[in-house]
Amino acid sequence: MPRMTKREAGGPATIIDVAREAQVSIKTVSRVVNAEPGVHEETLKRVKEAIERLQYRPKLSARALAGARSFIVGLFYFDEQSAFIGNLQRGATQTCRELGYHLIVEPLQASATDLVSHVERSLSALRPDGVILAPPLCDHAEVLQAMQRQGTRIVKLSPRELQGSCIGIDDVQAARELTQLLLDAGHQRIGFLQGPPDQIASQRRQQGFSAALRAARRKAAWVWPGDFTFQSGVAAARIWQDQPNRPSAVFSANDDMALGLMAEARRLGHQVPEALSVVGFDDAPAASMVWPGLTTVRQPLEDMAARAVHLLVGQNTQPCRIVMPHRLMLRQSVQERAEA
């Protein structure tokens, strides 16, 4: 009497069950599960349909033993409260699930004295097939060296140095377009709320802002330091209120600061956008939830993370640079203005 499979006995489906259902060899099922190339399109479709019907879920440990992969992708970053990270995590998580991988999220502290050793311990324990590095961690020289020593594949998001595999948008061009929008709306006194000086995104966005003003033969009416947090936007609104000739519009280097600026300006009795037009950068989820809605630049963060996962688990190991498209999100935080 033939021996029953676990599926026939009422247990979870196994690779043997999938092979029988799809009428292929166990090796072919393994190649499909491990996303290996060379499987005929019709066979690939048949195996995937069998996996779905049987609700087959391969054990991560068994898959790792079958080859050199761990089927783990890491997302390492600083600043775990940033909306930027939340969008990246969603994109990476969904893509990992589609490809049969697991995403490990590793928030790190920039000020930690054991940062590098912590990274090394994490890599040794997890042995990920690759790691996505979010800014500004992607520019940390010692962390990059530690990953190189471990032989870890990495993809950097919006890095300072365009070396190795990296993905980002053209921050300078996006900032120029957003500044031009304020100029076209009639604003002559425009301020800029900076991000952290050590983050290249903040620098590039200010470069684009300044370039647009120079082309229009204008100068920044007000520049104030921030740190990409909501609280620094709140503090900037108080400083803005005390200016003898306040800017009618402020370009904030990210959405979190822009939202803080708007909230505090309104608390202080200044209407947005009547008294102050505000634009941000990133298109955080809250940008479309507040009133007035925040005009901003959308980075396709989920798509960026998805592309990063594909690069890390794919067969091509050659470094590449990918520039993703950005989009201006026009909402109610900007009002046309006729200034003398």
Side-chain angles (χ1 to χ4, degrees), residues 94-156:
Q94 180 61 35
T95 306
C96 282
R97 285 175 179 168
E98 292 171 357
L99 297 175
Y101 280 71
H102 286 247
L103 180 71
I104 300 296
V105 177
E106 189 74 18
L108 301 169
Q109 296 296 323
S111 58
T113 56
D114 65 341
L115 172 62
V116 175
S117 61
H118 178 84
V119 168
E120 290 175 333
R121 289 194 301 271
S122 296
L123 294 175
S124 296
L126 298 171
R127 299 198 176 278
D129 291 328
V131 172
I132 304 168
L133 292 177
L137 178 59
C138 61
D139 295 316
H140 196 291
E142 292 180 347
V143 168
L144 293 175
Q145 290 167 7
M147 293 194 167
Q148 186 176 23
R149 288 193 299 270
Q150 297 260 9
T152 304
R153 293 180 68 180
I154 63 172
V155 173
K156 298 181 288 185

Side-chain angles (χ1 to χ4, degrees), residues 56-78:
Y56 171 62
R57 296 295 180 265
K59 291 184 179 180
L60 192 63
S61 57
R63 294 172 67 194
L65 287 172
R69 303 187 203 180
S70 66
F71 294 92
I72 291 173
V73 170
L75 173 61
F76 287 35
Y77 59 88
F78 293 143

Side-chain angles (χ1 to χ4, degrees), residues 306-328:
R307 292 290 293 272
V309 172
H310 278 286
L311 286 178
L312 291 171
V313 306
Q315 301 297 315
N316 183 15
T317 59
Q318 296 300 312
C320 63
R321 180 190 177 195
I322 298 174
V323 179
M324 304 286 284
H326 63 269
R327 179 183 172 193
L328 296 190

